[in-house]
Amino acid sequence: VYLPGSVMEIECYQEVLVLLWKFLEENEGFMTYILKHCEVTQLVVPICYFMFEARKDVSKVGLVHICTFILLLLSGERNFSVALNRPYKNTLPIKIDLFHGNHADLLMIAIHKLIVNGHKKLVELALRHGAEVDQTYSKGTSALMDAAFVGHEGVVNMLIRHGAEINLQNSDGDTALMIAASQGHERLVDLLIRRGADVNLQNSGGFTALMLAAFFNRPAVVRRLLRAGADTAARSASGKTALQWAKEEGHAECVRS
């Protein structure tokens, strides 16, 4: 933004967002007008962008608060919900998985990333303001699964405290424990087991967390799962046990475990 008669560029997006929030909150006619006569999805896209960009910076928690308040106000209106069904065809300069969907999908992914990759205070904010803890996106992936993949123990703990289903399975049948085991996140595996994760669930390929740990050569995880009572006799869809997978892949330490 440039001031009149000035060549100096200034940033005032936070002030504009505050102004928008207050207009929506205090002026019922303004809310009605933008929902009936404006392309409201043009508000959703920058809000998603700001939330995504601010997710790891605790100094920008206020910005995420403002975006959240705007979305909460809009979400109470039927016309807003209808507008979210419009196809999303824009491209934002942020790193999110490519997807083909509508603006509701974009909003869901932005909130999902805020929970999984955000600073703990921002995760708390999102959950406190009603973010669905077990909401899934691409391939049935939940926030708990994504947090397990990157090994974010603090977020995993927080999600479980807020009621996340620890044994939820994605479209491939994987659970958070299976994902953590395959990635070799030892402490996170311990945490999930303590919080009630089923060590013997099998995914669509018949793999258990033990088989995945053996296949990906995670001996420390293999030992933890064995201590937790993992079934060594379970077989994958191809008929192999965890020990057989470890031998076939040449993972000697997993075999010795």
Side-chain angles (χ1 to χ4, degrees), residues 148 171 184 198 226:
S171 59
D198 188 337
L226 289 173

Side-chain angles (χ1 to χ4, degrees), residues 69-100:
F69 293 150
I70 292 172
L71 290 172
L72 283 171
L73 286 170
L74 291 171
S75 64
E77 301 294 326
R78 180 182 179 279
N79 287 347
F80 178 69
S81 301
V82 172
L84 290 179
N85 290 317
R86 293 170 189 157
Y88 172 71
K89 297 178 180 179
N90 297 325
T91 302
L92 287 174
I94 55 179
K95 187 178 180 181
I96 60 173
D97 299 329
L98 293 175
F99 72 96
H100 299 285

Side-chain angles (χ1 to χ4, degrees), residues 52 55 97 109-118 137 146:
F52 186 90
R55 72 192 188 284
D97 299 329
I109 290 172
I111 294 174
H112 185 95
K113 293 297 183 183
L114 175 65
I115 293 173
V116 174
N117 300 127
Y137 70 113
D146 265 352

